[in-house]
């Protein structure tokens, strides 16, 4: 079963509009790097006040992070985006606050049906 990763970041409220513009669209080469890292079903949601919650699936999150950590494209993207974040140490793709999964319908259904 793939790993499902949920994370949170905070964007400076006065920079939120620009942050959103930068994501519509994201650089094509960055989109390709995210996909090449093994991340899929990747979404970021704005929940208010500059708070962002994101989600993606991957087969190996450590390998995905390692791939992006070595990527020149990702380094350039993260350097450009770093100024948008509140109290973010290092690159957002490497240091976002991660949340443990508490419930997964598909996993529990599969277990209950077997």
């Amino acid at each position: 079963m793939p790993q499902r990763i949920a994370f949170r970041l905070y964007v400076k409220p006065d920079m939120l509009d620009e942050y959103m513009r930068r994501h519509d669209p994201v650089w094509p080469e960055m989109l390709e790097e995210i996909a090449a890292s093994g991340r899929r079903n990747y979404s970021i949601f704005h929940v208010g006040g500059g708070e962002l919650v994101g989600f993606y699936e991957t087969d190996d999150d450590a390998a995905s992070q390692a791939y992006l950590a070595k990527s020149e494209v990702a380094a350039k993207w993260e350097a450009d985006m770093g100024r948008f974040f509140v109290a973010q140490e290092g690159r957002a793709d490497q240091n976002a606050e991660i949340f443990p999964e508490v419930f997964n319908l598909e996993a529990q259904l599969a277990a209950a049906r077997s």
Side-chain angles (χ1 to χ4, degrees):
M1 203 160 202
Q3 292 177 283
R4 297 161 44 93
I5 308 298
F7 62 92
R8 176 171 51 198
L9 296 163
Y10 294 94
V11 170
K12 296 171 185 169
D14 62 324
M15 298 184 81
L16 183 60
D17 288 342
E18 178 64 19
Y19 177 87
M20 291 182 163
R21 275 193 296 277
R22 298 280 181 107
H23 282 78
D24 188 24
V26 168
W27 303 342
E29 60 272 24
M30 186 60 196
L31 297 173
E32 293 295 338
E33 284 295 82
I34 293 168
S37 80
R39 293 181 180 181
R40 57 191 178 275
N41 296 326
Y42 195 148
S43 295
I44 300 173
F45 305 89
H46 178 232
V47 297
E51 182 178 1
L52 304 172
V53 175
F55 170 84
Y56 60 88
E57 294 177 335
T58 183
D59 293 324
D60 183 343
D61 195 41
S64 174
Q65 285 203 0
Y67 180 93
L68 291 171
K70 294 177 186 174
S71 165
E72 290 180 25
V73 172
K76 185 178 173 186
W77 172 264
E78 294 298 335
D80 188 50
M81 297 304 295
R83 64 192 174 92
F84 290 91
F85 298 108
V86 175
Q88 180 67 44
E89 292 191 29
R91 288 174 38 171
D93 69 330
Q94 301 292 309
N95 297 304
E97 181 181 8
I98 304 291
F99 300 103
E101 185 173 35
V102 175
F103 170 78
N104 179 286
L105 175 64
E106 288 78 17
Q108 288 197 21
L109 274 174
R113 291 174 176 165
S114 61

